[in-house]
Amino acid sequence: MGRHMQTQATAFSASRPLVVRNPLPTPEYRQVSADTENSRALEHAMLRAGAVMSFCRSEEIFGDGEPADHIYRVLAGTVCTYKILRDGRRNINAFYLADGYFALELVDRHSHAAEAISGAKILVVKRAALMVLAGRDPAVARQLLVLTACELARVQDRVLLLAKTAEERVAGFLLEMAKRSKGNSIELPMLRQDIADYLGLTIETVSRTLKLLKDHAAIEVSTRQVVLLNRSTLSRING
Amino acid sequence: MGRHMQTQATAFSASRPLVVRNPLPTPEYRQVSADTENSRALEHAMLRAGAVMSFCRSEEIFGDGEPADHIYRVLAGTVCTYKILRDGRRNINAFYLADGYFALELVDRHSHAAEAISGAKILVVKRAALMVLAGRDPAVARQLLVLTACELARVQDRVLLLAKTAEERVAGFLLEMAKRSKGNSIELPMLRQDIADYLGLTIETVSRTLKLLKDHAAIEVSTRQVVLLNRSTLSRING
DNA sequence: CGGAATATTGATCAAGATCAAAGCGAGTGG
DNA sequence: CCACTCGCTTTGATCTTGATCAATATTCCG
C-alpha cells in the first residue's frame, strides 16, 4: 500500500541554509510578467525586505502545519509543495519553477510542506512585513490578490487533470511543462515518483504511459528530458 | 484548457488605494470565516449595489466562458459550478449553499458554468462596481482576498478528496456537508448524479457506497436525507 | 568500478466503470 | 382513488484501467 516515503531526515539537519540579507537585484531575477507594473512593485518590495536562502535537493523548506510566517519566491531551481496522506502516500500539489511564488495562503499555518526538488535559491519574506508593505502600496496588495487567484485557477486545472485517464494526465502534464519551457524540449527536474505523486498515478504507470506516447511518435523520452515531437497528437490525447 | 490571465487593471486602478487594515498576520487571518467586520462590509456593499434574482432548478446562472461581469452570493437554495469535459462528462467544482459567494475569479471570463440545483435566490453585483467599492473600502478589498484564499483552500481539499477511494470520498463528502448543517441530519438538495460528478465517481458507485456505509451502521440513508449515526467511524473511513 | 537509488518491464489483481435490469416515488389523468 | 408514466435510484453481472507484486535494467555518484 504505502508508497514513497521521505527518508532524507539526516540530510536536512546536516546542511543549514545559507542566508544572505538584502541581496542586490540582478537582471535574471527581474523577469517581467504580463502584469508589469504591479508585479514589479511586489518584486521590488520582496527584494528589499527579503532574504535569499539556498536549499539542496530534497531539503525541506517548510513543513506541513508549521506557522506560515513567510512568503516565498523561487529565484532558481525547482520547488514542490506536497502533503503526506494518512496512508503514507504523498500528494504533490504544485511544482514551482523560477519566478514562481508559493505559500501565499492567508492562514496562520501552512497547509502543505515544501521542499526543493533540485538545488534552489529562494527569496523569503516575512509575511507580516509584506502585509505592512501591502497596506502602504496598493499595487503590492493587488498583486497578492492576483497571485492568489492565479493559484486558484491552477489548482482548478489540476482537478480537471485528475478527472482524466493516465494517458491524458501525462499528456496534460507534458503540455503544462512545455508552456513553461522554450521550444519543444522539456527538462524534467523532478523524479518519476514526483510526477506520479503529482498526477495521482504510480511510477510504473507514468513510465508505461511515457513509453506509450513514445510509441505513438508523439514524444522522445530520456530520464531527465522529454522532447515533444507532435503537439497536436498530445493535445488531442489531452482531451 | 488555456488558463486565463488577469485583465482587470481598469476596475482596480479606477479608484483609491487598496489598503489592508490590520496587517498583523495573527490572529486576524486565522478564523477567516469569523472575520466579522470585514464580511459585514462586503455584505453591506453587495446588498446596496446588488440585485436579487431567482432561478429554478437546473436553470443556468452563467455559462462556461461567458464574460465574468458579476459576482454572486447565494441568499437561499443551492447552486453548483461545473465544467463539461470534452468527452461529455460533467465535473462539479463546488456546491454553494446559503451565504456562499461564487464566481470570485479575477479573470475576464468564467472558467465554469453555474446553475441552481434547487430553486435559488441569488444576489448579483456588477464586478466593476464591487471593485470600485473595494478601492474605497479596504475592508471590502481585504474580504475579497480572504474569500479567494478560502476558495483556494476548498479546492485544495477537494484535490485531496479525489486522491482517495470511493468509500473515503463519500464519507468525506458527508462530513463536509454535515459541517454546513445543524446536528447530524443532512438534507441533500442535489441528485446522486450531482454527488457522483462532484466526487469523480458514477452514480452506481455512490449508491453502493452509501449502502456500504449504512451496513456499517455509520449512517441512515433516504433519497434526500442522510443521518450520521457514527461520526467517528466516518472520520476513520475518511482517512 | 561498485553499490544504491531510480527507472523500466512483465504478470496478476482489484476497485470502480460499464452494461443491464429492476425498484421506487412523485406527479398526472382517467 | 388507483393505474400509468417518467425520472431517479438501487442492485446485479461483467469488463477495464491502473495498482500491486516482482524482476531486471539503468543512472547516478562515491
Side-chain angles (χ1 to χ4, degrees):
Chain A
M1 280 286 188
R3 260 193 257 164
H4 170 93
M5 296 292 288
Q6 284 302 117
T7 55
Q8 307 281 344
T10 51
F12 295 166
S13 45
S15 57
R16 281 264 159 241
L18 171 70
V19 180
V20 183
R21 287 237 146 246
N22 299 321
L24 293 174
T26 56
E28 72 254 36
Y29 293 163
R30 278 197 180 181
Q31 183 114 9
V32 187
S33 76
D35 205 308
T36 318
E37 188 189 330
N38 288 311
S39 66
R40 276 222 198 94
L42 178 59
E43 197 182 328
H44 209 89
M46 286 191 69
L47 281 168
R48 258 199 332 220
V52 176
M53 297 179 72
S54 289
F55 295 87
C56 55
R57 190 167 181 284
S58 290
E59 190 177 352
E60 182 175 287
I61 299 169
F62 54 77
D64 189 2
E66 286 181 3
D69 296 332
H70 301 88
I71 282 176
Y72 303 82
R73 183 176 185 222
V74 179
L75 298 177
T78 311
V79 166
C80 76
T81 54
Y82 65 93
K83 246 181 131 63
I84 303 294
L85 306 183
R86 252 186 252 181
D87 60 8
R89 275 152 61 224
R90 183 181 65 153
N91 188 299
I92 289 190
N93 177 56
F95 296 113
Y96 297 94
L97 310 186
D99 297 327
Y101 291 84
F102 61 101
L104 286 165
E105 51 215 338
L106 270 194
V107 289
D108 65 345
R109 296 200 167 257
H110 290 297
S111 59
H112 297 87
E115 73 173 43
I117 270 187
S118 56
K121 281 200 197 317
I122 310 290
L123 184 57
V124 185
V125 187
K126 273 216 190 306
R127 181 181 304 269
L130 200 60
M131 289 307 174
V132 170
L133 285 166
R136 280 206 281 270
D137 186 347
V140 171
R142 183 169 163 251
Q143 182 65 6
L144 283 177
L145 180 59
V146 168
L147 289 172
T148 303
C150 278
E151 189 74 1
L152 175 59
R154 215 189 39 66
V155 179
Q156 279 171 339
D157 279 351
R158 184 151 167 266
V159 168
L160 296 180
L161 202 68
L162 294 176
K164 301 180 187 179
T165 66
E167 199 176 1
E168 291 169 329
R169 292 187 211 190
V170 173
F173 170 72
L174 292 177
L175 289 170
E176 183 189 328
M177 290 301 292
K179 268 194 280 189
R180 309 203 215 174
S181 309
K182 303 257 184 248
N184 287 323
S185 177
I186 307 167
E187 297 301 318
L188 297 177
M190 68 290 285
L191 304 178
R192 294 287 187 274
Q193 183 67 62
D194 298 325
I195 299 174
D197 290 347
Y198 179 68
L199 297 178
L201 300 170
T202 58
I203 43 171
E204 293 95 329
T205 299
V206 169
S207 187
R208 277 186 256 266
T209 306
L210 285 172
K211 177 131 194 264
L212 207 67
L213 293 175
K214 190 181 75 180
D215 293 348
H216 290 4
I219 60 173
E220 257 171 29
V221 186
S222 60
T223 306
R224 292 269 160 270
Q225 184 184 252
V226 169
V227 180
L228 306 195
L229 299 177
N230 192 335
R231 274 191 197 236
S232 57
T233 296
L234 277 182
S235 296
R236 189 174 41 69
I237 288 170
N238 185 35
Chain B
M1 302 268 159
R3 220 166 293 148
H4 304 278
M5 279 278 86
Q6 140 76 19
T7 55
Q8 296 283 330
T10 55
F12 236 111
S13 55
S15 61
R16 240 143 294 163
L18 178 150
V19 181
V20 177
R21 205 188 285 157
N22 301 327
L24 296 177
T26 52
E28 252 92 355
Y29 288 81
R30 168 180 284 194
Q31 302 254 346
V32 276
S33 53
D35 204 318
T36 322
E37 186 192 335
N38 287 311
S39 68
R40 276 222 199 95
L42 178 59
E43 199 180 322
H44 265 165
M46 287 192 69
L47 281 168
R48 256 197 334 216
V52 176
M53 295 180 72
S54 288
F55 295 87
C56 55
R57 188 168 182 285
S58 290
E59 190 176 352
E60 180 175 286
I61 298 170
F62 54 77
D64 189 3
E66 286 182 3
D69 297 331
H70 300 88
I71 282 176
Y72 303 81
R73 184 176 185 222
V74 180
L75 298 177
T78 311
V79 166
C80 75
T81 53
Y82 64 93
K83 245 179 132 64
I84 303 293
L85 307 183
R86 252 186 252 184
D87 60 7
R89 276 151 60 224
R90 183 181 64 154
N91 188 298
I92 290 188
N93 177 56
F95 296 113
Y96 298 95
L97 309 186
D99 296 327
Y101 291 83
F102 60 102
L104 286 166
E105 51 215 338
L106 270 193
V107 288
D108 63 347
R109 297 199 166 258
H110 290 297
S111 60
H112 296 88
E115 72 172 43
I117 269 186
S118 57
K121 280 200 197 318
I122 311 290
L123 185 56
V124 186
V125 187
K126 273 214 190 306
R127 181 181 304 269
L130 200 59
M131 289 308 173
V132 170
L133 284 167
R136 280 205 278 271
D137 186 346
V140 172
R142 179 160 169 263
Q143 183 64 6
L144 283 177
L145 180 59
V146 166
L147 288 172
T148 303
C150 277
E151 191 74 2
L152 175 59
R154 217 187 38 67
V155 178
Q156 280 171 338
D157 278 350
R158 185 152 166 265
V159 168
L160 296 181
L161 202 68
L162 293 177
K164 301 180 188 178
T165 67
E167 199 176 3
E168 291 168 329
R169 294 187 210 189
V170 172
F173 169 72
L174 292 177
L175 289 169
E176 183 189 327
M177 290 301 292
K179 267 195 280 188
R180 310 203 216 175
S181 309
K182 304 254 184 250
N184 287 323
S185 177
I186 307 167
E187 296 300 318
L188 296 176
M190 69 291 283
L191 303 178
R192 295 288 187 273
Q193 184 67 60
D194 298 325
I195 300 174
D197 290 346
Y198 179 68
L199 297 179
L201 300 170
T202 59
I203 44 171
E204 292 95 330
T205 299
V206 170
S207 187
R208 276 187 258 265
T209 306
L210 285 172
K211 179 130 192 265
L212 207 67
L213 294 175
K214 191 182 72 179
D215 293 347
H216 290 3
I219 61 173
E220 257 172 27
V221 186
S222 60
T223 307
R224 293 267 159 273
Q225 186 183 255
V226 169
V227 181
L228 306 194
L229 299 177
N230 193 335
R231 277 191 195 234
S232 57
T233 297
L234 277 182
S235 295
R236 188 174 42 69
I237 288 171
N238 185 36

